[in-house]
């Protein structure tokens, strides 16, 4: 099962692709951070993100996409950029016909480290260990996206099958 | 000059198309509200909105798109849905190669009624009068989208030319 995870952000959007099976070790396929300049036009930034994500979906052909659920406790300006980038990611996946699952940061942290309150350094360390990497994935946005993808491999199989069934029923 | 205005919302997204010139009367081309069921999957809702907006852009061929700028004083849950729908609208326009301009609610109200604090009933009444309609456009989301489009016809000409120049320079 191949999953593409997205840690949405307008200025820095983490993307990570892993392959694996529930309960088994995952293999790293790809990671990167899609960046955009805060001084450029919003339309241009969203288009750039959409084009890059669409290209990554075509290149890596994941079976499903996991996106971090935007959280309301952040400040509103950050939330808006994150919500916009998240919408672009969800839409890119939907346009590619892929099921999308959202996870909260604590679900992801709990899945990869056993602790829903783990900090960024702990998540990065666990991702590095779980994917058996020699070097930790940097920056943290990329590690978060990989953690999302691992979380979905381990938790998402059943959900995907349900989502696919609902999709067919429509 | 033909403009498509979008009053973004996930459950109800107003769309209005008008044609006109700065300082002259505008003509109504089309309006509608794209709705989606809050109980359905977010990916499906965003995809549905994207497909309808993309179809409307192809059908009505506006020269530019005006989108209401999401405001931070609303409650965060509403802001997130509005930000997501707004991102879909901005992206649909950008993918169609069209310039996008954002306006705050007060800019739109001031443009159509001379009063940045006008209420929904006043905006609807002014849109009805300005477009010389016999029946007021309903619901308010549609009237707001038409007000955005009128605002852009009257204010946007110069901005569009600047945006087009910047686009060419890239």
């Amino acid at each position: 099962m191949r999953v593409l995870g997205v840690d949405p952000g307008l200025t820095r959007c983490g993307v990570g692709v892993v392959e694996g099976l529930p309960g088994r070790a995952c293999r790293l396929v790809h990671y990167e951070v899609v960046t955009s300049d805060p001084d450029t036009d919003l339309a241009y930034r969203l288009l750039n993100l959409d084009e890059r994500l669409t290209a990554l979906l075509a290149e890596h052909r994941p079976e499903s996409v996991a996106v971090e659920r935007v959280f309301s406790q952040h400040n509103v300006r950050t939330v808006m950029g994150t919500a916009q980038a998240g919408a672009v990611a969800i839409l890119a996946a939907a346009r590619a016909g892929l099921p999308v699952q959202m996870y909260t940061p604590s679900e992801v942290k709990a899945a990869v480290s056993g602790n829903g309150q783990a900090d960024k350094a702990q998540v990065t360390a666990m991702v590095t260990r779980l994917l058996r990497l020699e070097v930790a994935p940097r920056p943290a946005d990329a590690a978060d996206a990989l953690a999302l993808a691992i979380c979905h491999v381990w938790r998402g199989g059943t959900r995907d099958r349900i989502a696919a069934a609902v999709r067919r029923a429509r």
Side-chain angles (χ1 to χ4, degrees), chain A residues 10-11 35-45 77:
Chain A
L10 210 45
T11 304
T35 60
S36 82
D37 180 348
D39 291 335
T40 54
D41 191 54
L42 178 60
Y44 180 80
R45 300 176 78 186
R77 200 180 156 76

Side-chain angles (χ1 to χ4, degrees), chain A residues 30 53 65 67 109 130-131 135-136 138 143-144 170:
Chain A
H30 177 79
L53 290 175
V65 173
V67 179
K109 289 170 182 174
L130 291 169
L131 295 176
V135 180
R138 300 273 178 226
D144 285 347
R170 288 207 183 97

Side-chain angles (χ1 to χ4, degrees), chain A residues 66-88:
Chain A
V67 179
E68 189 173 294
R69 192 182 290 281
V70 179
F71 244 172
S72 44
Q73 67 252 39
H74 299 171
N75 79 66
V76 174
R77 200 180 156 76
T78 310
V79 163
M80 281 170 43
T82 312
Q84 289 165 331
V88 169

Side-chain angles (χ1 to χ4, degrees), chain A residues 55-132:
Chain A
L56 286 168
L57 291 171
E59 183 180 350
H60 297 293
R61 305 201 161 278
E63 285 142 77
S64 61
V65 173
V67 179
E68 189 173 294
R69 192 182 290 281
V70 179
F71 244 172
S72 44
Q73 67 252 39
H74 299 171
N75 79 66
V76 174
R77 200 180 156 76
T78 310
V79 163
M80 281 170 43
T82 312
Q84 289 165 331
V88 169
I90 295 165
L91 182 60
R95 284 173 49 220
L98 298 173
V100 185
Q101 183 63 50
M102 271 157 280
Y103 295 98
T104 65
S106 359
E107 286 179 302
V108 176
K109 289 170 182 174
V112 301
S113 77
N115 170 13
Q117 313 301 316
D119 63 20
K120 283 201 173 290
Q122 284 172 294
V123 170
T124 297
M126 282 309 296
V127 165
T128 309
R129 188 183 309 172
L130 291 169
L131 295 176
R132 297 179 188 128

